[in-house]
Amino acid sequence: MCGIFGYVGERKDAGRLVVDGLKCLEYRGYDSWGVACKEEDDHLVIEKKIGKISDVKSSAFLEKCSIAVGHTRWATHGGVTEENAHPHTNEDGSIAVVHNGIVENYQELRDGLLARGHTFLSETDTEVLPHLLEEELKKTNDFASAVRLVSQKIVGRYAFLALHTDSNVLVAARNGSPLIVGVGSDGYFIASDIPAFLDSTRTVQYLDDGEMVVTDGHSILFSDLATGEEHPKREIEITWSVEQAEKGEYQHYMLKEIMEQKDTIVRAVNQDDKETRTIAEAIRSARGTFLVGCGTAHKACMAAEYFFSVIAGHHVNVSSAGEFKLYHHFLKPESLLIVVSQSGETADVLEAMKIAKSKRAKVLAIVNVEGSTIDREADYSLLINAGPERAVASTKALTGQMAVLLLIAHALARKLHDGKTQLLEAGSMINDMLNPRYVERLEKLAEKIKHREDLYIIGKSWNYPMALESAIKIQEVSNIHAEGFAGGELKHGPIALIEEGTPCIALIGKDEVTGDILSNATEIKARGGFIIGVSPENNPIFDEWIKVPDAAAAQPLVNIIPIQILAYYLAVQRGKDPDMPRNLAKSVTVK
Ligand code: F6R
């Protein structure tokens, strides 16, 4: 959460570059933004505003600076005000800092700074940084050394970028929040994520936790934050293209990414057979396999519990990454933790990995972002190859994650070939589903229910996690109160919520639980519920039937597609921006 971006080099339009780059990081936070440019006469020009940086014309940033930093904010400490927007500076405005993460000991540091005569303009934890940098700079006379010393004083997960009017360098430090260097032909970029500089370079260098970097635009030096020891870095070419990261003909990234599922399932399934079988063997021989993720990725893990059980007869333990600590007693060096994450940067998932590693258990990561922290820190890693996911609401990453997990379940059952065939068929079914008539049908259904304030979704077996996922998708983009339940749970309490006309979506497949879930839907109908059946077959109890193909074990992948489209249109028709849901941001790098 929060996007930070800086540039130093030969170009004279650093301010404009940073504003444009921040627009590509807006999914990380969009309540306010700010930029600091060091102009040719060495003074800092700072601009901060409440609202979205996508609304800003970058041409307003004049071409007279070659070093700049910027930030797009998701508020943690202090409300959404111009004062709290980054960059933050010291009193004389000679040092500017942009920061992602939390300075946990900021209160103590702030009290000390206040006692030493510093004054503060914001309520943020970040503002301690420029003041501390000023103090250390006075002692060392070297800006990079000041950054190192300040990093040693702060506690928490963070990444920050700093610049100073007296030196032509950009300095950055990382401990727990992502930072990537883009190696350009005319300078260096430092950003929270690759899309910020993708139209300038695809050559990157990753900072690891406990490292800092100093660059004057011509050369770059990575070093250890604690010892100052130099850390040589490899340059890596990334495969994502600018087109993949752009909206193209679509009005929103969310719809573009839903439509991309025509190809992304196939790309996810295209794993190396030998590697997939090796992973299946690692699961078979592990003394305890644990699966964790957050939010939507957690729902992929829940679906996988059914895949492993039904297809391979194998038991796995599933937990939300934030609750994984409960399992630490059961971890042994022979245990396996499977972490699922689109961004590869989610703080709770990284914490779960730390717990597993402390017990010497092995970690397998299923990620989308190559080179992300989770990808690099895991013992083994499988990429879902979905391409950049820019909308905050995860769509194509979920189906890619489930496809990889379903493939592994088949490999575990020694039926990898069958699994691949089934998934490729599901990919082709999804390709057929995503036609204009189908999408229009869901747009019309959204019209019918858009004014309802409550909506329920039921599912059974592997459709149960999809009921929970449907609720997340509808809640986050349309802000309708949506809840998902296991069909059988309804009559143990929640059925009391059903009133005349309450929309209730039933996610159904063609399997041994079809009869049960239809009975649950009938119970809702008897209490006045408006039943939307997402099912391969029609049924007289449905008030609306959304046809889906019969996809056997891949049913959760096809059943979630119409819900993603419905959620999208509910958001648009209720006047919401589906790409930037209220209170949210993508890549949750704080716990
Ligand atoms: C919801 C959504 C979130 C993410 C969650 C985990 O649509 O996108 O629930 O799934 O924040 O993020 P990753 O997968 O990046 O670890």
Side-chain angles (χ1 to χ4, degrees):
M1 349 198 69
C2 297
I4 60 178
F5 184 40
Y7 168 81
V8 57
E10 283 165 22
R11 289 180 62 165
K12 297 282 175 244
D13 58 344
R16 182 178 303 175
L17 264 179
V18 166
V19 170
D20 284 341
L22 286 175
K23 288 181 182 174
C24 303
L25 296 182
E26 198 165 28
Y27 62 86
R28 304 178 70 88
Y30 32 84
D31 50 45
S32 54
W33 62 273
V35 179
C37 304
K38 189 180 152 195
E39 303 229 315
E40 274 165 359
D41 61 0
D42 279 352
H43 80 283
L44 283 185
V45 175
I46 294 188
E47 177 131 10
K48 304 186 196 194
K49 289 273 181 302
I50 293 172
K52 297 175 181 167
I53 194 155
S54 44
D55 298 335
V56 174
K57 284 201 171 43
S58 31
S59 56
F61 288 78
L62 298 174
E63 299 193 4
K64 49 183 180 178
C65 92
S66 52
I67 174 165
V69 294
H71 185 269
T72 173
R73 182 168 187 247
W74 185 83
T76 55
H77 292 64
V80 180
T81 63
E82 251 171 50
E83 290 73 31
N84 289 337
H86 301 212
H88 290 285
T89 62
N90 56 339
E91 283 90 353
D92 69 9
S94 59
I95 295 171
V97 176
V98 289
H99 164 230
N100 169 24
I102 294 176
V103 180
E104 285 170 12
N105 57 338
Y106 87 100
Q107 197 58 56
E108 180 193 326
L109 293 168
R110 188 173 159 121
D111 291 347
L113 286 159
L114 283 168
R116 295 194 292 279
H118 291 268
T119 52
F120 286 82
L121 300 175
S122 79
E123 303 156 292
T124 64
D125 52 338
T126 306
E127 202 182 352
V128 297
L129 297 175
H131 296 286
L132 289 171
L133 283 170
E134 179 190 285
E135 288 190 346
E136 295 304 334
L137 186 59
K138 274 190 192 136
K139 291 183 211 155
T140 61
N141 227 4
D142 174 57
F143 193 52
S145 305
V147 168
R148 169 166 297 115
L149 292 167
V150 168
S151 302
Q152 290 165 6
K153 289 190 171 169
I154 60 178
V155 177
R157 302 173 59 83
Y158 61 82
F160 70 87
L161 279 170
L163 58 82
H164 176 228
T165 46
D166 287 354
S167 53
N168 278 322
V169 292
L170 198 57
V171 188
R174 167 184 170 149
N175 185 38
S177 299
L179 265 190
I180 300 139
V181 171
V183 184
S185 54
D186 48 17
Y188 285 94
F189 306 85
I190 307 179
S192 307
D193 200 358
I194 292 166
F197 51 71
L198 203 52
D199 60 355
S200 297
T201 179
R202 286 207 254 157
T203 308
V204 303
Q205 294 175 308
Y206 292 100
L207 264 95
D208 288 312
D209 282 344
E211 288 185 334
M212 63 179 285
V213 63
V214 185
T215 173
D216 61 1
H218 300 287
S219 62
I220 190 154
L221 185 78
F222 292 84
S223 62
D224 191 288
L225 264 178
T227 63
E229 185 194 338
E230 194 179 328
H231 285 181
K233 288 278 164 181
R234 266 187 326 129
E235 287 187 357
I236 296 169
E237 289 299 314
I238 53 125
T239 50
W240 287 2
S241 67
V242 180
E243 296 71 43
Q244 274 183 311
E246 281 176 348
K247 248 187 294 193
E249 74 207 67
Y250 293 96
Q251 208 190 337
H252 296 104
Y253 284 108
M254 184 176 175
L255 187 59
K256 177 192 178 223
E257 290 162 7
I258 291 171
M259 300 309 274
E260 280 177 345
Q261 292 172 109
K262 289 178 176 187
D263 308 316
T264 50
I265 310 287
V266 178
R267 289 216 299 271
V269 174
N270 192 15
Q271 301 289 337
D272 181 74
D273 285 356
K274 198 164 159 236
E275 203 178 2
T276 313
R277 288 197 177 99
T278 308
I279 282 163
E281 280 317 309
I283 296 172
R284 197 188 316 285
S285 56
R287 284 184 65 198
T289 299
F290 300 82
L291 264 106
V292 303
C294 291
T296 292
H298 171 233
K299 305 306 169 289
C301 297
M302 288 180 70
E305 188 176 1
Y306 290 92
F307 298 155
F308 283 112
S309 167
V310 175
I311 294 158
H314 194 90
H315 173 247
V316 293
N317 305 278
V318 175
S319 154
S320 157
E323 298 299 320
F324 181 60
K325 208 167 179 191
L326 172 75
Y327 289 89
H328 80 274
H329 302 293
F330 314 122
L331 292 168
K332 303 175 183 62
E334 304 80 27
S335 306
L336 177 68
L337 173 68
I338 304 180
V339 296
V340 181
S341 172
Q342 187 284 129
S343 62
E345 300 292 351
T346 303
D348 281 331
V349 178
L350 283 161
E351 191 64 25
M353 288 171 72
K354 213 190 249 174
I355 295 169
K357 284 185 170 188
S358 73
K359 301 281 181 151
R360 291 184 291 127
K362 290 274 181 283
V363 179
L364 161 68
I366 297 176
V367 287
N368 189 33
V369 180
E370 186 173 8
S372 57
T373 311
I374 292 173
D375 179 32
R376 286 178 297 132
E377 290 190 357
D379 297 293
Y380 325 95
S381 194
L382 284 184
L383 295 173
I384 63 165
N385 299 317
E389 193 179 67
R390 293 278 297 274
V392 167
S394 188
T395 53
K396 61 177 179 171
L398 168 79
T399 47
Q401 290 158 354
M402 289 199 292
V404 170
L405 287 160
L406 186 52
L407 193 69
I408 297 173
H410 278 95
L412 192 56
R414 301 199 167 89
K415 291 183 193 157
L416 179 56
H417 183 71
D418 292 354
K420 239 182 194 171
T421 310
Q422 188 182 80
L423 275 158
L424 291 174
E425 271 169 21
S428 135
M429 288 170 185
I430 289 171
N431 185 20
D432 293 345
M433 285 165 85
L434 288 169
N435 66 66
R437 265 193 323 128
Y438 197 77
V439 172
E440 208 178 296
R441 164 96 178 75
L442 289 152
E443 189 178 359
K444 290 210 173 106
L445 177 59
E447 281 286 348
K448 263 193 197 162
I449 59 172
K450 69 179 178 195
H451 295 302
R452 303 299 306 204
E453 285 308 321
D454 305 290
L455 193 157
Y456 301 99
I457 310 103
I458 58 168
K460 198 168 169 61
S461 177
W462 41 45
N463 279 311
Y464 162 49
M466 291 306 98
L468 301 181
E469 165 59 10
S470 303
I472 296 187
K473 220 75 316 158
I474 294 169
Q475 289 160 3
E476 68 179 325
V477 297
S478 75
N479 306 148
I480 291 176
H481 166 238
E483 278 190 70
F485 298 103
E489 273 296 306
L490 235 70
K491 49 186 166 292
H492 299 285
I495 203 158
L497 297 168
I498 305 297
E499 291 174 358
E500 194 58 41
T502 305
C504 180
I505 304 174
L507 300 179
I508 304 173
K510 239 174 140 177
D511 47 39
E512 76 272 12
V513 299
T514 310
D516 292 344
I517 194 79
L518 281 170
S519 302
N520 301 145
T522 311
E523 289 152 13
I524 298 170
K525 178 124 178 145
R527 279 137 189 105
F530 178 83
I531 308 295
I532 302 162
V534 173
S535 164
E537 283 175 355
N538 202 353
N539 189 285
I541 63 156
F542 297 160
D543 295 293
E544 290 273 347
W545 177 39
I546 303 299
K547 189 172 183 198
V548 285
D550 172 10
Q555 199 66 45
L557 281 80
V558 302
N559 278 4
I560 200 64
I561 302 286
I563 308 298
Q564 294 172 344
I565 304 170
L566 182 67
Y568 170 77
Y569 281 110
L570 283 172
V572 172
Q573 290 169 17
R574 286 166 65 96
K576 317 277 174 194
D577 180 347
D579 285 345
M580 293 184 206
R582 181 173 74 188
N583 303 339
L584 282 163
K586 208 166 179 72
S587 197
V588 184
T589 52
V590 291
K591 282 199 276 175

